[in-house]
Amino acid sequence: MHWTIYLSGEIHTDWRDQIRAGAEARDLPVTFVSPVTDHPASDAAGDVLGKPDNGFWRDHQSSKVNGIRTKSLIENCDIAIIRFGDQYKQWNAAFDAGYCAALGRPYITLHGEDIVHPLKEVDASAMAWAQSPEQVVDVLEYVTIKA
Amino acid sequence: MHWTIYLSGEIHTDWRDQIRAGAEARDLPVTFVSPVTDHPASDAAGDVLGKPDNGFWRDHQSSKVNGIRTKSLIENCDIAIIRFGDQYKQWNAAFDAGYCAALGRPYITLHGEDIVHPLKEVDASAMAWAQSPEQVVDVLEYVTIKA
Amino acid sequence: MHWTIYLSGEIHTDWRDQIRAGAEARDLPVTFVSPVTDHPASDAAGDVLGKPDNGFWRDHQSSKVNGIRTKSLIENCDIAIIRFGDQYKQWNAAFDAGYCAALGRPYITLHGEDIVHPLKEVDASAMAWAQSPEQVVDVLEYVTIKA
Amino acid sequence: MHWTIYLSGEIHTDWRDQIRAGAEARDLPVTFVSPVTDHPASDAAGDVLGKPDNGFWRDHQSSKVNGIRTKSLIENCDIAIIRFGDQYKQWNAAFDAGYCAALGRPYITLHGEDIVHPLKEVDASAMAWAQSPEQVVDVLEYVTIKA
Amino acid sequence: MHWTIYLSGEIHTDWRDQIRAGAEARDLPVTFVSPVTDHPASDAAGDVLGKPDNGFWRDHQSSKVNGIRTKSLIENCDIAIIRFGDQYKQWNAAFDAGYCAALGRPYITLHGEDIVHPLKEVDASAMAWAQSPEQVVDVLEYVTIKA
Amino acid sequence: MHWTIYLSGEIHTDWRDQIRAGAEARDLPVTFVSPVTDHPASDAAGDVLGKPDNGFWRDHQSSKVNGIRTKSLIENCDIAIIRFGDQYKQWNAAFDAGYCAALGRPYITLHGEDIVHPLKEVDASAMAWAQSPEQVVDVLEYVTIKA
Amino acid sequence: MHWTIYLSGEIHTDWRDQIRAGAEARDLPVTFVSPVTDHPASDAAGDVLGKPDNGFWRDHQSSKVNGIRTKSLIENCDIAIIRFGDQYKQWNAAFDAGYCAALGRPYITLHGEDIVHPLKEVDASAMAWAQSPEQVVDVLEYVTIKA
Amino acid sequence: MHWTIYLSGEIHTDWRDQIRAGAEARDLPVTFVSPVTDHPASDAAGDVLGKPDNGFWRDHQSSKVNGIRTKSLIENCDIAIIRFGDQYKQWNAAFDAGYCAALGRPYITLHGEDIVHPLKEVDASAMAWAQSPEQVVDVLEYVTIKA
């Protein structure tokens, strides 16, 4: 089985690159997919359709365009990794976790110990909580190729 | 049709009471349900099963007990109202929104204009964004009894 | 079994009243539900949340509020009656038909013979095509109480 | 991920060709599928099984044969583009939109500004509204290959 | 729990009456539902909509009207009893069995030993095979009220 | 799109070969699958597990082994062709039709005009009724490659 | 909300009575349902249909009759309590747990600490692990009536 | 069709190897997948995330990591083989059987005659009961390549 892994959440650190590099180094049978991680491009995703003056509707339009991508990727993935960093609200990451939970798509959270308490509902539906990209790679290795 | 409304999110202001009172005043055919909103009780929900020393596992156990309730209520509701206040992480509210979205359960967000941007993905899957409990009651009245 | 019947489509003639009256006269075990049929109210359904300047977004907001109601009613009905009149685009009626078809909710179309050809895809997924409200009542009587 | 795009609706202009050409020019990882767009052939799709004298049943038989194709293509696509032109009833396009909505299949509408109001329910469940084939290609590019 | 029992199949003997009487005598918490068992009425179910000249389309129209009823009853039942007599093709009964099997709705077949072999696929997906209405009542008693 | 076609029903004439040959001659993008059509082998499918003395249980065991195959093939097919000949009960074919109907898998029936009436419920849920293998091939050609 | 609780597993101790009594004492809004707990009656559930000589088939027939009941009760419950005692194989209890997990029905396990390790997969999908009936009642009270 | 077969259950005998070898010898179109069968590695699957002091939580964490794998493999398989040996509790095997049953994934049990009675509920939902790996291979050959 080849596995598709969706990398959701924080876009301001290089955690995705670390996981990709780790998986490549161990030759895991995985393909990684992710939302658009270029922040300005993501905010402007819908502008090509005509940029609304009103901030709410501009965000709305762009978020729906982004949703075409993220919704499809989540529904087609085998595992999601959901990353919470130490800044920003990151409600979209928690939203993705809830979406995965309802679909029965297994996900692993990746976050520091300091935010364990506010993330308790998100972690309660997760299959694992990792604190580092390396731990994520270890779990992926076990899950995908351990004989 | 009688409607069941799930009230998710913030537990530190009286928005639930305002919505209940408004709906009662207009005699709407609705029943409101909600998670346990007593914060210390919620954190201790699993302690009766034996309180784990480790904070992560204590949270985990309590969150799963809370999840028995919230998961059933969401799956049995007709509409969810999801409230984001101006404090705390509130990842559980965003998680509930994602859960509703994946199940196709319609939800209305309730939050101030200042957090429109970080909530754009949550709002993009919502059926409406309200800024006050009274607006929520107005929408509920329209949806449930407008002839 | 008590049956819930959703009455979708045209709002400019009294076909709903005729069906309700006919069903009542024969004492059928049915409850009728319908979208809001007050046209101006329907167009303004979302205005209470703040009326967007832009026509598209005003329509968008109102349609989503209406969708909370119609989506729930369709998913909870046993049979839908979908009416096409001789005026207007009535794309919402065809949309409801497609929604019913995908959910496996049986529906009956109600329209004149002159629009049989453009409605062929909608009729192809219907369980019956009626040309008058009285025929609809006849079918409902057969379906719900014929011994 | 390779994406399958279903092109539904109007068959009297070359919008499908424009989208195909645009996607090819940008080398997008997409495959386009569509209903039979040869109008007389579509109307006669069932005649090989014996052509009914009655117009309703001839349409019925042909529409069901067409439905074998369109239903399978919609259920197997990742995104649908649903085009409304300025002529004809086009109820089949609105039907497809409702079908997509109920299945949770994301769709983009493509139509002029003049029919925004009658399409408001169809647009309310869409992920985006485009006014030109080029905008559709822009969105597909963003969704499928934006890094 | 109150149980709804769908009685499918043969309409030329009084097996339905025997089961109803037996269940009533033992005061079982069950409600029985069934297709229209008046053969001529069933064949003419769609004639009110205009009787097609062609036999195939007349049958088609009537069968779809009957399908509104039978499809809803099967989807809403808890258990189906599917009876095969010693005459006629009874393909509709086998069709109902396949429909139940795909939905995961448990069903009990009721037929003589002489047709065990041709019914083997139908019986293989059944939860039980009974040879008499009394056995069916015995099973219903066990299933619904045995302490 | 490549299409998988399940060929269900009668095993005593060469209709499967005719359809395969016709599709090959026209180079259709289809793969045909079917139940085991060797009658004695099918009846003995479970005997390798120990042949029960009792005829009912022998049939039961074999039918379930056959069911592993047929159930998987139906769930993985895009279209089913369901053939009724002029002999035998063929309840398994009607069972497959009901199974397809409940799953939303489109099917085409193939049978003579003389059994239109007893097959009316089976035909009512079909997407088409063909009277010859050549008609089936015509429909498959239209559905799968008509531009 | 009124809650239906399915009590699965061990039939040789009075744990069901303890939970029922505890819930009644606290006036919880719950209804308890359970499989037939009379062991000889359960083993003979299918004998009324003709008792097979072969032990495997007798068990098979009885288990399927029991399955009509248990499958319906599990699918209609809100919460399952799954009890493992210190004797017997109790594979049916683990089977019920897997069934609940796949359906997304929340369940609570009830067992002693000595069998934590062999039950780890069953507990991993549970929402809570209780060691006494009283703990189960405590959790039910919290879940169903805590304000 | 190429078939994916999930091999669940006992890890202390070489039954998996026997089935793999038999299938290879007969050149069956099958791919076998299985849980991690290295017992100590399986128990330690979650330790890389931090090994909990408490035995219950260590087991919990490891079982959930194992669950990422097993849950995905079961949902993606076409057939499961579920083996019960003569030692240990093997509740995970029964859990997998229940999980398959609820998903409608066909499974074959593999166990000796001595445990027929305690496995009766597990066998009642199985498509076949085999007593030897060779019988399993015979059934797989019949199901996958018998013409």
Side-chain angles (χ1 to χ4, degrees), chain A residues 77-90:
Chain A
C77 80
D78 298 299
I79 304 173
I81 312 299
I82 301 183
R83 164 69 182 162
F84 293 86
D86 51 14
Q87 294 183 59
Y88 305 102
K89 296 294 191 182
Q90 306 177 91

Side-chain angles (χ1 to χ4, degrees), chain F residues 70-88:
Chain F
T70 56
K71 178 182 165 56
S72 293
L73 294 182
I74 290 178
E75 295 188 354
N76 286 295
C77 80
D78 298 299
I79 304 173
I81 312 299
I82 302 183
R83 163 71 182 162
F84 292 86
D86 51 14
Q87 293 182 60
Y88 306 102

Side-chain angles (χ1 to χ4, degrees), chain C residues 91-109:
Chain C
W91 284 320
N92 58 323
F95 180 88
D96 281 358
Y99 201 90
C100 286
L103 291 182
R105 201 70 72 253
Y107 66 89
I108 299 168
T109 56

